[in-house]
Amino acid sequence: MLELIKIFDQVVESGSFSQAGRALNMAPSSVARNIDNLESKIKSSLFKRSTRQLMLTEEGQYFHQQSAKILQDSNRLLEEMQGDQGPPEGVLRVSVFESFGNLCLTPLIPEFLERYPKIQVELELDNNVVDLNSENIDVAIRIGTPQDSRLKARNLLTNNASLVAAPSYIEKYGTIDKPEELQDHNCLLISHERQKNYWYFKKNAVNKKVLVTGNLISKGGSPLLHAALSGVGVLLLSDWMLKPYLENGQLRELLPQWTSMHSEQGSGEIFAIYKNTQYPRPHVRLFIDFLVEKLESLKRVPQH
């Protein structure tokens, strides 16, 4: 019965038999058969089925509310009974936006697996918004907090940005003393699907908005970073992408007395997002605690 309830819960979260099947690694027909078996056992129809959508009946809504408590209590009981009998094990599914995943997360995974060798990590590098429930993702790492009340978020890192250029560019075109001087420089730009690009600067109570132009525009930061390293132009990019190049002198910070931002609201925060359940899986807590510990070193970038 408990397995049938787990399948039912996943169908509700996913919104269809096919999506639930993908999350559970089951054929949609098997999911449907299990729901039929559950309805037969409780002698109630749980879903209104149509070709367009799957909706809970009134009985289904009540059953979902009550059965969710059963699943949470069963998970908690299992964890209590297992206690310290052995190391954590199982699959942990993580989705992270591509540039942060490549540069910051993937180098940390081997140490996490060494600490918890029985946990299997499935890592997806994906810039698209993911639905943790329908896609069966345990942790998603994204910039910004989720709007979905069914999700919780833990802050990992402030997405601070710095204005930089290669020493060769500075030697050729001169240093920059004021934000408005950027209008005379080749700026490497993140694409925001608009015709004009602005960079924002703040110092004490002074705020400046500067129109910037350049000969390279990209949706991702990596092409811009490579161009900046080659002396092509001036770059405003997240500190976690710039840190090693500032430390080894391949890039120099410009206007360090100003806070540099891509928007008036700042550059945002990076969060670990997970399902808002009363008893989170131990894997999730362990992984997020590990990230908070390891990403501490990225919170400060030396000024040059």
Side-chain angles (χ1 to χ4, degrees):
M1 183 71 172
L2 189 60
E3 288 303 313
L4 294 178
I5 293 175
K6 288 180 180 178
I7 294 170
F8 166 74
D9 185 68
Q10 186 61 58
V11 171
V12 175
E13 295 290 355
S14 299
S16 72
F17 290 152
S18 58
Q19 287 274 45
R22 277 194 284 272
L24 296 167
N25 197 25
M26 295 174 63
S29 57
S30 296
V31 174
R33 275 198 304 275
N34 278 281
I35 296 301
D36 289 341
N37 290 340
L38 179 59
E39 289 177 328
S40 177
K41 282 181 180 294
I42 64 174
K43 295 180 169 51
S44 297
S45 294
L46 297 172
F47 293 102
K48 298 174 186 174
R49 295 169 171 83
S50 73
T51 54
R52 290 189 175 182
Q53 59 182 342
L54 202 61
M55 294 180 61
L56 284 170
T57 61
E58 189 174 334
E59 293 88 348
Q61 291 174 0
Y62 176 76
F63 187 80
H64 183 238
Q65 291 171 355
Q66 300 303 315
S67 63
K69 299 174 186 176
I70 295 172
L71 289 179
Q72 290 175 354
D73 288 340
S74 69
N75 290 335
R76 185 184 185 190
L77 177 61
L78 184 61
E79 289 169 18
E80 287 178 353
M81 295 304 294
Q82 288 175 338
D84 297 323
Q85 294 177 11
E89 58 182 272
V91 178
L92 178 71
R93 298 176 179 88
V94 180
S95 173
V96 57
F97 63 100
E98 192 170 2
S99 53
F100 189 81
N102 279 322
L103 291 173
C104 300
L105 189 62
T106 52
L108 300 177
I109 295 298
E111 183 177 347
F112 179 77
L113 294 176
E114 187 175 355
R115 282 193 197 182
Y116 308 106
K118 292 194 174 182
I119 293 179
Q120 179 187 3
V121 174
E122 291 185 6
L123 185 62
E124 294 182 6
L125 302 180
D126 190 352
N127 292 329
N128 296 322
V129 176
V130 295
D131 185 330
L132 271 67
N133 293 301
S134 66
E135 298 181 43
N136 203 25
I137 298 293
D138 295 306
V139 181
I141 298 172
R142 294 292 186 272
I143 297 176
T145 54
Q147 304 302 312
D148 191 335
S149 61
R150 297 176 300 170
L151 302 176
K152 295 184 73 174
R154 185 168 173 189
N155 185 286
L156 297 177
L157 199 64
T158 299
N159 191 38
N160 292 324
S162 294
L163 188 73
V164 299
S168 60
Y169 182 90
I170 297 170
E171 289 167 12
K172 187 173 182 180
Y173 297 103
T175 189
I176 297 171
D177 299 314
K178 295 181 288 187
E180 49 267 34
E181 292 177 9
L182 286 165
Q183 293 178 328
D184 300 321
H185 285 266
N186 188 46
C187 298
L188 307 171
L189 307 172
I190 295 285
S191 172
H192 296 293
E193 297 182 354
R194 59 178 182 231
Q195 291 182 336
K196 294 182 179 180
N197 277 274
Y198 294 93
W199 289 347
Y200 299 83
F201 300 88
K202 183 176 182 179
K203 182 170 67 171
N204 301 321
V206 179
N207 294 279
K208 293 193 175 184
K209 175 183 176 181
V210 180
L211 176 65
V212 289
T213 59
N215 59 9
L216 181 60
I217 301 174
S218 171
K219 286 189 175 181
S222 296
L224 305 180
L225 176 58
H226 287 295
L229 290 167
S230 300
V232 173
V234 180
L235 177 62
L236 178 60
L237 201 61
S238 300
D239 285 350
W240 48 265
M241 293 190 78
L242 299 174
K243 188 172 188 288
Y245 306 104
L246 287 168
E247 289 176 342
N248 66 21
Q250 285 183 268
L251 293 173
R252 291 183 190 166
E253 186 172 6
L254 304 170
L255 302 176
Q257 68 275 27
W258 291 82
T259 299
S260 307
M261 303 170 289
H262 282 110
S263 75
E264 291 179 280
Q265 291 74 39
S267 300
E269 305 280 331
I270 298 175
F271 287 91
I273 301 165
Y274 56 101
K275 296 172 188 175
N276 185 12
T277 59
Q278 189 173 355
Y279 310 114
R281 295 175 63 208
H283 306 55
V284 172
R285 186 183 65 252
L286 289 171
F287 185 68
I288 295 176
D289 287 347
F290 174 81
L291 292 182
V292 170
E293 171 196 339
K294 291 299 172 182
L295 294 176
E296 180 68 30
S297 64
L298 291 178
K299 292 186 177 179
R300 290 170 296 276
V301 173
Q303 306 238 333
H304 288 261

